[in-house]
Amino acid sequence: MSPSAKRRPFIAGNWKLFKTAAETVQYIRALKKLMKKGPEVDVALAPPFTALESAVKAASGSTIAIAAQNVFWEEEGAFTGEIAPGMLKALSVGLAIVGHSERRQYFGETDQTVNRRIKAALAAGLDAIVCIGETLEEREGKKTKRVLSSQISKGLAGLTREDGLRLTIAYEPVWAIGTGKTATPDMAQDAHQYIRRQLEKIFDKKVANSVRIQYGGSVKPDNAAELMAQPDIDGALVGGASLKPDVFFKIINFKGA
Ligand code: 13P
């Protein structure tokens, strides 16, 4: 694929357990001002659940999309601590992150629960960013591709082509998250190309060519451009470097427009 035919970049900030509603509003006001220059990328922010409503209001009139960091598979019931897809829709949130490695690592998330969450999100009209990626042990044991293929086939089991078109995949090698160790552009490209091939196997070429695959793991203003220049890297899922609007804007503006 020629670089000009590349998918529109999609850069999302995952705030994890940071920021109150008031801090969220302040941040979004600042980012909106910076974004007046209008870089040609899609942008999303995923604040904690408690700040979603304020975030949606603060982002109105801008192109910033607001995402949830997780979503449950039931609409209601005795499920203490969970948030239903319909509750997010009611706040005009249109997107949810599913299967982040921190959910898998600390909260018992599995490919099966990831699959249920994706299906429920899509059925309720939310789009999903699905996170996958290998641990250091798996990479050193040369199991990266096996792990990615299993996470994709189990996590996306039973989805239709139409479902596939509403997904973004975030490749986040666990060893690169919050560690300052970024995958080299070649390493990341190799994984992204492999992921795209798996998408072609379970959906088809059209879906594989349109799904955006974000890279995540210590993305910073000084490494964003070289990562984004890779043919199969279509964006970034940014943790730490998304917490300050000026730093995140430098990543959004990686082309230096
Ligand atoms: P860092 O950018 O802080 O490494 O986090 C990446 C991440 O987990 C985004 O979801």
Side-chain angles (χ1 to χ4, degrees):
M1 180 178 290
S2 74
S4 59
K6 246 185 106 167
R7 296 148 291 269
R8 184 179 165 90
F10 179 20
I11 298 182
N14 172 15
W15 288 356
K16 310 187 180 184
L17 187 53
F18 291 94
K19 295 194 193 295
T20 62
E23 288 164 346
T24 298
V25 170
Q26 236 177 5
Y27 177 112
I28 292 176
R29 284 193 188 135
L31 184 63
K32 269 167 109 169
K33 271 193 202 133
L34 292 167
M35 282 180 59
K36 285 221 169 91
K37 290 181 209 155
E40 302 269 294
V41 305
D42 291 334
V43 174
L45 291 172
F49 288 121
T50 46
L52 284 174
E53 186 169 14
S54 311
V56 168
K57 283 187 190 141
S60 79
S62 78
T63 55
I64 304 168
I66 301 300
Q69 294 178 16
N70 196 7
V71 60
F72 193 50
W73 56 80
E74 296 288 349
E75 268 309 328
E76 53 185 13
F79 302 106
T80 303
E82 291 295 332
I83 300 289
M87 294 173 177
L88 298 175
K89 285 292 288 180
L91 294 180
S92 302
V93 170
L95 182 67
I97 297 174
V98 177
H100 191 279
S101 67
E102 286 146 19
R103 301 297 317 168
R104 297 178 189 253
Q105 211 177 336
Y106 307 129
F107 302 100
E109 196 80 63
T110 64
D111 291 325
Q112 286 69 33
T113 56
V114 167
N115 183 254
R116 293 183 79 175
R117 291 181 200 274
I118 298 169
K119 283 180 177 159
L122 295 177
L126 296 164
D127 292 342
I129 299 179
V130 182
C131 304
I132 56 173
E134 80 287 359
T135 62
L136 183 61
E137 198 185 357
E138 288 161 346
R139 175 159 286 265
E140 287 177 343
K142 306 213 176 319
K143 291 186 193 142
T144 298
K145 289 187 175 159
R146 213 183 310 159
V147 169
L148 294 177
S149 139
S150 162
Q151 288 175 335
I152 293 169
S153 62
K154 292 180 189 155
L156 307 187
L159 299 189
T160 64
R161 292 186 60 259
E162 287 66 34
D163 293 335
L165 290 168
R166 292 173 48 206
L167 300 178
T168 297
I169 305 292
Y171 168 62
E172 301 203 301
V174 179
W175 49 271
I177 295 178
T179 58
K181 284 186 208 156
T182 322
T184 64
D186 281 353
M187 256 158 115
Q189 164 57 24
D190 191 44
H192 281 229
Q193 190 181 47
Y194 179 77
I195 291 165
R196 206 174 294 288
R197 261 193 248 126
Q198 303 312 300
L199 292 174
E200 186 174 339
K201 268 195 210 160
I202 60 172
F203 298 115
D204 61 17
K205 211 177 183 69
K206 180 168 176 246
V207 175
N209 280 335
S210 23
V211 167
R212 290 180 292 190
I213 307 176
Q214 298 173 323
Y215 169 79
S218 299
V219 174
K220 305 274 183 276
D222 62 1
N223 60 24
E226 55 177 359
L227 286 160
M228 298 291 298
Q230 299 300 314
D232 287 292
I233 300 184
D234 308 310
L237 185 56
V238 186
S242 72
L243 292 172
K244 292 208 170 102
D246 53 332
V247 178
F248 188 51
F249 179 72
K250 283 188 190 147
I251 297 176
I252 294 170
N253 200 26
F254 67 96
K255 286 184 189 152

